Amino acid sequence: MTMDLRDAVTVVTGAGSGIGRAAAHAFARRGARVVVTDLDAERAKTVAAELGPDGARAVAAACDVTSLDDLRAVRELALERFGQVDLVMNNVGILAVGPVEDIPLEAWQRVIDVNLLSVVRSNLVFLPLLLEQGSGHVVNTASTAGLLPYGHDRLPYTATKHAVVGLSQALALSLRPRGIGVSCLCPAGVATNIVEQITFYGEPAPPKGPQFPVLDAESVGELVADGVGEGRFLILTAPEAADELRELGADVDLYLSRLIKDSS
């Protein structure tokens, strides 16, 4: 299900930096109007100013994705300023890193609230608009750690990203027949400031799994915008991940055994 981004109204969460900022720029280059949201209001304002200093093509809003009220306020801002919403990119993510036995329950709860339930809240707020107009697109940012079983050192993040992948697949089945496209971005290594969103527990765990190339955020933003325009579901930043996914699907036990052997 292709999408023309010219004059489309896009809402991007976590757009004050990294992949969100890059995607906002990529959407704007294709003619979209952008609602830039971020927990950090000043970062959101900076990005909105980059996209259009007169405010005609971009607007900023502070938004905590754990708050339904904040997301509702973003929806109302988009409608007030631009009259519609056509694309929503759910892009916020945090990490708790360390051996699984050292990560406390409250860290799990926080990661689930931000990484997974934020998408649920966004769906509750924005999907009724898209369904009423019978068109639009949703992009959910997951991770290759949500496709492949290598993120044992960041298990809450890995669990939520697997959930986002599954949620996105089910959404595609539900929404595509009703005129709404769904894409799932699964980035591998991306040079961003994600370290600001990491909490460390215990001793670092050694990696187990494939090492993918690291891309700059701007390249990923272009991949997202192209993927939306082409109506693709799965957007990868590392094509090699597709080979790993095929190997995993062919024989899960054999794949896990290889990862363990390679890391020993």
Side-chain angles (χ1 to χ4, degrees):
M1 185 175 296
T2 62
M3 182 177 187
D4 187 350
L5 286 165
R6 287 175 297 178
D7 288 324
V9 177
T10 67
V11 174
V12 184
T13 66
S17 61
I19 291 173
R21 174 183 175 274
H25 274 270
F27 295 148
R29 280 192 290 271
R30 287 157 176 78
R33 295 167 286 175
V34 186
V35 182
V36 179
T37 82
D38 198 90
L39 186 62
D40 187 321
E42 291 306 312
R43 284 184 175 178
K45 290 177 183 177
T46 297
V47 174
E50 293 168 356
L51 301 180
D54 59 359
R57 307 295 298 179
V59 63
C63 180
D64 179 349
V65 294
T66 67
S67 166
L68 265 175
D69 287 342
D70 276 17
L71 287 163
R72 290 184 182 120
V74 169
R75 177 190 62 196
E76 295 312 306
L77 175 63
L79 294 175
E80 177 186 336
R81 185 63 64 92
F82 300 125
Q84 64 196 68
V85 174
D86 300 295
L87 183 151
V88 180
M89 182 172 179
N90 300 304
N91 181 64
V92 176
I94 62 173
L95 292 89
V97 173
V100 61
E101 66 271 18
D102 290 332
I103 299 176
L105 179 60
E106 57 266 25
W108 277 87
Q109 291 170 326
R110 174 66 176 162
V111 173
I112 290 169
D113 198 20
V114 172
N115 293 8
L116 176 59
L117 293 183
S118 65
V119 180
V120 175
R121 294 185 191 94
S122 176
N123 288 340
L124 291 171
V125 169
F126 291 105
L127 282 186
L129 283 179
L130 303 185
L131 288 167
E132 183 177 357
Q133 66 196 28
S135 64
H137 204 101
V138 175
V139 181
N140 295 325
T141 300
S143 170
T144 52
L147 295 170
L148 302 167
Y150 65 82
H152 71 105
D153 59 334
R154 63 203 73 174
L155 207 49
Y157 176 85
T158 298
T160 56
K161 294 306 184 179
H162 274 270
V164 170
V165 170
L167 183 154
S168 300
Q169 290 172 337
L171 276 179
L173 290 177
S174 172
L175 297 180
R176 282 185 171 183
R178 303 160 83 179
I180 300 166
V182 177
S183 296
C184 186
L185 169 65
C186 289
V190 183
T192 70
N193 60 345
I194 188 67
V195 69
E196 296 177 4
Q197 308 301 328
I198 300 176
T199 305
F200 293 92
Y201 299 90
E203 293 296 319
K208 293 180 181 179
Q211 300 298 307
F212 297 120
V214 176
L215 269 64
D216 58 88
E218 289 70 25
S219 297
V220 177
E222 288 295 311
L223 289 171
V224 173
D226 286 346
V228 170
E230 296 165 6
R232 281 190 282 115
F233 173 77
L234 183 60
I235 302 172
L236 297 172
T237 65
E240 301 91 338
D243 296 329
E244 295 284 333
L245 191 57
R246 281 188 284 269
E247 185 181 346
L248 171 66
D251 191 325
V252 175
D253 285 307
L254 183 62
Y255 185 83
L256 290 172
S257 296
R258 179 175 70 78
L259 292 189
I260 295 168
K261 180 181 178 182
D262 290 348
S263 63
S264 60

